[in-house]
Amino acid sequence: MKSELNKLFGDFLSIFFPRECGCCGCVLKYQEKFICIACDFHLPYTNYHEYSDNDTARQLWGKAPLEEACSFLFMQKDSRVERLIYQIKYNNQPFLAEYFGYQYGLKLSEVKAYQDIDFVIPVPLHSSKLRKRGYNQSTYFGRGIARAMEIPLREDILVRKKATISQTGKGRLERYENVSDIFDCQNTVLMDNVHILLVDDVLTTGATIISAALVLFESFDCRISVATLARA
């Protein structure tokens, strides 16, 4: 009886405040949460967490001594995933990043290579962009992962000391030059050989996440793995 009343109340609310799928924009049904069943079925999941020799890892090989690297989704132009990322970054829906982070965290927790992660660090935004947007989408993604894996999220370690101009339209070399020396670490003491999961929303050239990883390597005795919500 209670579940029927909840359904009726949810259906009533949806008339006036319809909830939309974060991927396709259709109105969600009562039992659907954040994305519709059709999008959940058709989303291009990479399954990269299941094997170390994947395209995300290969893209970052030789640039930093990472333990593991993976991405949750493939992103193509004009796709469901591109709309999802847009909703997260520019349409004030960071909870979508946390939702997908939680789903990915459940999967990562089942893989031996990720089971000794000590904490999650999101790639930070510069304070000026954080004030403008109001949130860091990578923090929400990391929060979901950390909650699913039952490990801490650490926002007090890595800081972005320089604002950068958009990477859009830049070549690979220009992207690396644009993000060189933009991160710093707080004066924090960490245990030796700590295993960090560094997370970001989208992997393109990898320039930003490599820049962040190198600063962490310079500052601490650590091992670093990488996880991103999507890869372009």
Side-chain angles (χ1 to χ4, degrees), residues 56-76:
T56 290
R58 288 185 178 189
Q59 184 175 336
L60 302 177
W61 281 352
K63 299 179 178 70
L66 302 174
E67 299 287 310
E68 302 287 335
C70 59
S71 300
F72 197 23
L73 299 164
F74 293 109
M75 186 178 77
Q76 296 181 331

Side-chain angles (χ1 to χ4, degrees), residues 60 62-67 214 217 222-224:
L60 302 177
K63 299 179 178 70
L66 302 174
E67 299 287 310
L214 291 176
F217 279 125
C222 63
R223 294 176 292 132
I224 298 176

Side-chain angles (χ1 to χ4, degrees), residues 12-204:
F12 175 76
L13 285 179
S14 67
I15 296 174
F16 300 97
F17 307 101
R19 298 177 301 116
E20 295 183 352
C21 172
C23 294
C24 69
C26 71
V27 176
L28 294 175
K29 298 176 182 177
Y30 170 70
Q31 294 175 320
E32 294 174 333
K33 189 174 183 179
F34 302 129
I35 62 171
C36 66
I37 293 174
C39 282
D40 188 37
F41 180 79
H42 290 291
L43 280 178
Y45 296 102
T46 68
N47 296 319
Y48 281 175
H49 58 284
E50 296 179 355
Y51 52 99
S52 297
D53 185 3
N54 61 67
D55 286 344
T56 290
R58 288 185 178 189
Q59 184 175 336
L60 302 177
W61 281 352
K63 299 179 178 70
L66 302 174
E67 299 287 310
E68 302 287 335
C70 59
S71 300
F72 197 23
L73 299 164
F74 293 109
M75 186 178 77
Q76 296 181 331
K77 188 172 178 59
D78 299 323
S79 65
R80 286 180 171 92
V81 178
E82 185 178 63
R83 186 181 189 278
L84 171 68
I85 298 299
Y86 181 88
Q87 295 295 98
I88 290 171
K89 293 179 69 170
Y90 305 114
N91 204 22
N92 196 32
Q93 297 190 51
F95 56 84
L96 290 170
E98 185 169 357
Y99 168 76
F100 280 96
Y102 185 80
Q103 303 307 314
Y104 208 19
L106 293 177
K107 294 181 180 296
L108 294 177
S109 63
E110 296 176 350
V111 179
K112 184 176 180 180
Y114 295 93
Q115 288 176 350
D116 68 340
I117 297 287
D118 293 295
F119 51 80
V120 177
I121 295 181
V123 171
L125 292 177
H126 187 262
S127 57
S128 60
K129 182 172 286 188
L130 184 61
R131 284 194 300 270
K132 182 178 180 180
R133 183 172 295 168
Y135 59 88
N136 179 4
Q137 67 278 1
S138 296
T139 295
Y140 276 81
F141 178 57
R143 184 180 298 167
I145 290 178
R147 183 159 56 90
M149 298 182 74
E150 298 182 346
I151 56 177
L153 175 76
R154 296 291 300 270
E155 298 180 76
D156 60 329
I157 296 175
L158 190 64
V159 295
R160 195 165 191 145
K161 61 183 182 180
K162 294 181 182 178
T164 55
I165 59 176
S166 173
Q167 298 275 62
T168 304
K170 292 185 178 296
R172 184 175 295 270
L173 180 59
E174 289 178 305
R175 284 174 180 252
Y176 274 90
E177 291 175 345
N178 190 41
V179 295
S180 63
D181 194 35
I182 65 170
F183 296 106
D184 203 356
C185 287
Q186 307 271 30
N187 186 19
T188 304
V189 177
L190 299 179
M191 61 184 178
D192 292 341
N193 199 36
V194 66
H195 192 177
I196 296 167
L197 183 64
L198 183 63
V199 301
D200 205 0
D201 55 350
V202 180
L203 180 73
T204 49

Side-chain angles (χ1 to χ4, degrees), residues 207-222:
T208 301
I209 207 157
I210 289 297
S211 180
L214 291 176
V215 169
L216 289 169
F217 279 125
E218 291 170 1
S219 303
F220 306 107
D221 175 15
C222 63

